[in-house]
Amino acid sequence: MKSGSNLEKVFVNGHFAVTAELGPPKNNDVSVIQRKVDFLRGYVDAVNITDNQTAIVRMSSIATSAFVIQMGMEPVMQMVTRDRNRIAMQSDLFGATALGIKNIVCLTGDHHTFGNQVNAKNVHDLDSVQLINLVKTMRDEKTLMGGEEKFEGDIKLFIGGAANPFADPFEFRALRTAKKAAAGVDFIQTQCIYDMERFKEWMKMIRDLGVHEKVHIMAGITPLKSAGMARYMAKNVAGITIPDAIIDRMAKAAKGSEEGIKICVEQIQEVREIEGVHGVHIMAIEWEQMISKITEMAGLLPRPKVE
Amino acid sequence: MSTFEPKIVAFCCEQSGLPAAEMAKTLKLKIPDNLELVPVPCSGRIETLYLLKALESGADGVVVFACYEENCRYLQGNVRLKGRVGYAKQIMAKIGLEQERLEIFHVATNSGVKFSEFLMQKADQLRLLGPNLGKIA
Amino acid sequence: MIKAEQKPFEEILEYLAPYNKILLSGCGACVTVCHAGGEKEGALLASALRMARQKTGKPLEILESTPARQCEPEFAQELSDTIGRVQAVLSVSCGVGVQTLARHFPATQIFPGVNTLFMGETVEHGVWEERCQACGDCILEKTAGICPIARCAKQLLNGPCGGSANGKCEIKRETDCAWQLIYDRSKSLGQLHRLTEIIPAKQWGVQSRDSGPRRIVREDLKV
């Protein structure tokens, strides 16, 4: 075991893993975390705690992750390279593991100009591939970046990364995931999938490169709430493609939100059949209360108890 | 009544504006009293600085008589002029000078009447506008 | 070369408000090429400033001079006599030239007339784009001659982020994604395999600005 986290054990035991996402509050109100945890506990194996996603200032992912542990759930702490240099990140990794955090997802992060601090100086000392490598070095070599001297104690982290099969250049996408695998990533969560054909094509490239044998691929799924949301995402979010067939289906449905859940469940069932996909990462954005229903309908319950 | 007679500097392309000016003179058409003609081989020869310098050194209005856009003997001279006049107008806006004080007018060699009419109108317009307060006389 | 852009006119007027005689110094090098502070732009700015001040009833006398390269002490020194006759200097050279004057004329107030923006290339007449950030440790051999430090908003060294769509960057949709360019050029050079190598973290501390101003010393050239 690399980390001994619940998520790692689920994979090691050959189960199909399920993670969800929890966005920390835009203040220091712990009750928001509690409310979201109550929606999710028991329905997923671990939950991603986002790190100031879309560059909007929120409670730190470390602090939120620590609260989530107290509340009886396992966090996957996200860490972006946008805001911290290698000194701060290594320091935070000591702190996070001391607080009992066992999973991490290493990301570059959304550009700061998308958020509410557009005049910030961004950092980008490392990129996500280099951060993955840094965490692996700390875990496996017990040294800091560029350091010879070993430190005391263990950095037991199950290392994750992200992949977006829908961004360009498409041919480079699987190669970039292969780089993350070479850098030491243990699992990959993808951007939300709507274009299933393109996802399957990407998975084929992943298999051709042998990446699926080294890394657990988790397919990213986001339930649509309405046809309007689908159109907005298709038009405004770079790197997300939504086929017209899905938008039409949402538009024609009597109740968009119910149709969105149905589509989501079908997608989960479909990705489950793809060779090399070992789990799903369900990103129900500010819709955490639907996770119980989605996981139940998709036949993902009960979640396995692993030792 | 004000006795202000605006000073107009008219840059004239030798391919169009200048022959038009000569025609107006031959036909004894009316032209404003306080006019200074500056012949140029092509309107593309006019730098942004010349336009500004004319205003700085006493002009109340500056006019460029140039060829119609497709008719430039040097292919793109009058297109370049357009860019420079646009730039000069941006600078004038920053200084706080009225945009009417600078204008391009396209003419052909035989546009004597148009030449005269345009200048007379420009002089009326400038008379209403009053003196250029930025000039250093 | 270095690219710059004239500061807002109002801001310049504000710096010069206390004075009635100044020197406007241009520079014959980079800022001439990017039409921000050469002899021509200096003359235009001087003319505009004179008229603007004339309008307010507080005339401003402006002497004009454009040394070949304001960042070289020999050329900067040429301004000595003129500077002795004015109350302040407005320099439309890049930030380097402004500092050269500041170093040589300790008793004179020197104001910047341009914002120095970047080191870039002329893409077409009238269009300039950033190409180099002088990181001090060139990696262009690894990235098919296209710099991700200068041209990727996240300075990614190992491939494009998830915001690359149709060859463009999600942050400024008119901007090419540097990694799309790197990918395309690597492909046409038959060098795609190079992109599978992990580029390690950059050593910002040794050569870069992060350790303070950099300095080159060539003993053989010193007299």
Side-chain angles (χ1 to χ4, degrees):
Chain A
M1 283 282 175
K2 292 168 173 170
S3 69
S5 76
N6 186 58
L7 181 62
E8 183 182 7
K9 287 179 195 160
V10 167
F11 281 127
V12 168
N13 286 288
H15 297 291
F16 190 76
V18 183
T19 51
E21 204 151 288
L22 187 158
K26 294 180 194 170
N27 49 47
N28 59 1
D29 184 356
V30 180
S31 71
V32 176
I33 306 170
Q34 183 70 61
R35 185 167 48 81
K36 291 185 178 183
V37 165
D38 290 342
F39 284 135
L40 300 170
R41 199 174 24 212
Y43 302 109
V44 296
D45 302 313
V47 60
N48 279 38
I49 310 301
T50 52
D51 182 1
N52 298 292
Q53 78 269 29
T54 65
I56 303 276
V57 178
R58 291 168 183 268
M59 189 189 288
S60 75
S61 59
I62 294 188
T64 310
S65 294
F67 281 119
V68 167
I69 293 172
Q70 285 175 17
M71 293 167 190
M73 263 196 97
E74 181 170 288
V76 179
M77 180 186 72
Q78 295 193 178
M79 182 180 270
V80 300
T81 62
R82 175 192 62 216
D83 309 322
R84 303 173 180 85
N85 68 10
R86 61 192 83 176
I87 300 172
M89 286 192 289
Q90 293 178 103
S91 155
D92 281 350
L93 288 166
F94 282 146
T97 47
L99 286 165
I101 293 163
K102 292 178 181 165
N103 307 298
I104 185 174
V105 167
C106 304
L107 303 163
T108 302
D110 296 312
H111 196 259
H112 69 287
T113 53
F114 288 129
N116 56 6
Q117 303 294 318
V118 292
N119 289 317
K121 182 177 192 294
N122 63 18
V123 180
H124 298 302
D125 179 19
L126 305 182
D127 64 19
S128 55
V129 175
Q130 294 158 351
L131 175 58
I132 287 165
N133 200 240
L134 178 151
V135 180
K136 184 183 157 63
T137 306
M138 286 178 77
R139 183 187 68 194
D140 298 347
E141 314 295 330
K142 294 193 181 208
T143 62
L144 293 177
M145 193 165 201
E148 297 288 314
E149 204 181 320
K150 289 191 189 296
F151 52 72
E152 296 286 320
D154 291 316
I155 300 293
K156 288 198 162 192
L157 283 168
F158 195 47
I159 308 169
N164 185 354
F166 311 102
D168 292 321
F170 180 56
E171 309 77 45
F172 195 65
R173 289 291 148 185
L175 287 177
R176 181 157 156 84
T177 305
K179 274 177 115 163
K180 290 188 177 179
V185 90
D186 300 307
F187 67 101
I188 287 282
Q189 294 169 326
T190 77
Q191 174 66 284
C192 33
I193 302 161
Y194 296 104
D195 185 346
M196 196 56 79
E197 290 316 305
R198 180 150 161 171
F199 178 66
K200 286 178 179 168
E201 217 178 309
W202 177 79
M203 275 305 299
K204 184 177 182 307
M205 291 160 95
I206 289 289
R207 288 192 301 271
D208 290 346
L209 292 165
V211 173
H212 67 306
E213 284 160 0
K214 299 179 209 141
V215 173
H216 301 287
I217 306 282
M218 302 185 78
I221 307 284
T222 290
L224 294 165
K225 283 184 190 169
S226 65
M229 172 190 176
R231 286 195 201 97
Y232 176 84
M233 285 171 73
K235 190 164 171 250
N236 296 306
V237 185
I240 288 194
T241 46
I242 305 185
D244 290 340
I246 288 184
I247 297 177
D248 287 349
R249 205 175 137 185
M250 288 297 291
K252 284 184 188 135
K255 219 175 159 205
S257 57
E258 278 176 17
E259 194 67 17
I261 298 296
K262 260 172 81 181
I263 292 172
C264 167
V265 169
E266 289 167 21
Q267 286 167 331
I268 293 171
Q269 284 158 348
E270 193 167 357
V271 296
R272 209 172 170 169
E273 301 302 315
I274 301 170
E275 187 193 345
V277 175
H278 292 178
V280 280
H281 178 54
I282 310 169
M283 294 164 274
I285 305 157
E286 295 303 320
W287 213 18
E288 292 84 359
Q289 62 270 36
M290 297 313 291
I291 292 289
S292 59
K293 192 174 175 188
I294 293 168
T295 48
E296 198 203 333
M297 284 171 72
L300 297 168
L301 299 180
R303 296 312 307 147
K305 299 255 178 290
V306 284
E307 278 316 313
Chain B
M1 277 297 283
S2 143
T3 56
F4 168 61
E5 184 55 34
K7 158 100 184 205
I8 301 177
V9 171
F11 290 94
C12 295
C13 169
E14 285 177 2
Q15 313 302 324
S16 54
L18 198 63
E22 278 159 6
M23 185 176 170
K25 202 174 159 192
T26 314
L27 297 175
K28 295 196 165 49
L29 300 174
K30 276 196 215 164
I31 51 167
D33 296 336
N34 200 355
L35 175 72
E36 184 178 339
L37 287 189
V38 182
V40 285
C42 169
S43 64
R45 183 64 193 86
I46 301 165
E47 302 267 1
T48 311
L49 185 61
Y50 301 178
L51 303 169
L52 233 57
K53 277 285 178 191
L55 290 165
E56 184 187 336
S57 51
D60 295 296
V62 176
V63 176
V64 183
F65 288 101
C67 302
Y68 287 98
E69 278 198 6
E70 306 74 33
N71 283 357
C72 180
R73 179 168 182 181
Y74 305 102
L75 307 176
Q76 302 230 301
N78 47 13
V79 177
R80 292 181 201 284
L81 170 77
K82 198 169 153 188
R84 291 168 191 163
V85 167
Y87 188 45
K89 287 192 170 218
Q90 282 177 29
I91 297 173
M92 287 165 66
K94 290 180 194 167
I95 306 169
L97 292 182
E98 299 84 351
Q99 298 288 297
E100 296 90 327
R101 296 193 189 277
L102 173 60
E103 198 170 340
I104 302 177
F105 192 67
H106 296 287
V107 287
T109 49
N110 61 354
S111 303
V113 176
K114 277 189 182 169
F115 178 90
S116 148
E117 284 173 359
F118 177 75
L119 278 176
M120 293 307 286
Q121 280 167 18
K122 184 51 83 180
D124 287 344
Q125 190 186 39
L126 291 171
R127 230 172 264 125
L128 283 172
L129 220 52
N132 159 19
L133 297 176
K135 68 179 159 194
I136 299 162
Chain C
M1 284 179 124
I2 292 172
K3 304 299 168 197
E5 208 170 56
Q6 239 168 51
K7 275 183 172 282
F9 192 66
E10 286 299 318
E11 197 179 318
I12 297 175
L13 277 174
E14 217 176 289
Y15 304 154
L16 302 179
Y19 309 105
N20 52 40
K21 187 172 182 182
I22 65 150
L23 164 69
L24 194 156
S25 173
C27 175
C30 308
V31 288
T32 297
V33 178
C34 67
H35 298 258
E39 194 173 350
K40 257 189 202 179
E41 293 74 31
L44 269 172
L45 180 61
S47 174
L49 287 168
R50 278 188 209 104
M51 283 194 270
R53 285 284 293 265
Q54 185 74 20
K55 279 190 72 190
T56 62
K58 273 192 69 191
L60 177 65
E61 192 183 336
I62 304 179
L63 308 182
E64 296 170 40
S65 182
T66 303
R69 292 191 294 280
Q70 216 188 91
C71 58
E72 302 272 354
E74 292 89 334
F75 294 111
Q77 287 295 357
E78 289 173 6
L79 298 172
S80 296
D81 289 348
T82 329
I83 285 182
R85 290 188 279 130
V86 298
Q87 299 156 324
V89 177
L90 176 69
S91 165
V92 286
S93 83
C94 71
V96 180
V98 174
Q99 294 181 64
T100 306
L101 296 191
R103 181 159 77 96
H104 286 275
F105 304 103
T108 309
Q109 184 74 261
I110 318 279
F111 296 102
V114 302
N115 288 321
T116 307
L117 298 181
F118 53 81
M119 278 185 278
E121 170 194 12
T122 306
V123 181
E124 58 182 281
H125 197 64
V127 181
W128 300 276
E129 255 179 34
E130 183 161 17
R131 290 292 181 261
C132 177
Q133 288 192 349
C135 73
D137 181 17
C138 193
I139 53 157
L140 285 170
E141 83 284 0
K142 293 190 176 80
T143 56
I146 291 150
C147 180
I149 298 289
R151 299 173 73 173
C152 168
K154 297 178 180 174
Q155 304 193 331
L156 298 184
L157 295 181
N158 286 291
C161 78
S164 173
N166 304 315
K168 298 295 177 186
C169 172
E170 67 174 336
I171 293 145
K172 291 183 189 159
R173 301 231 174 163
E174 73 279 8
T175 303
D176 290 329
C177 167
W179 276 98
Q180 177 79 53
L181 298 176
I182 293 168
Y183 178 82
D184 291 345
R185 197 170 138 74
S186 298
K187 197 173 176 181
S188 66
L189 292 171
Q191 297 279 309
L192 273 183
H193 59 277
R194 298 217 58 173
L195 299 187
T196 59
E197 293 165 23
I198 293 176
I199 299 183
K202 266 186 87 72
Q203 298 181 18
W204 297 108
V206 186
Q207 313 266 17
S208 85
R209 202 227 66 85
D210 294 16
S211 300
R214 289 165 279 181
R215 186 182 174 94
I216 299 171
V217 180
R218 278 275 305 270
E219 292 297 341
D220 57 314
L221 296 176
K222 287 163 86 175
V223 195

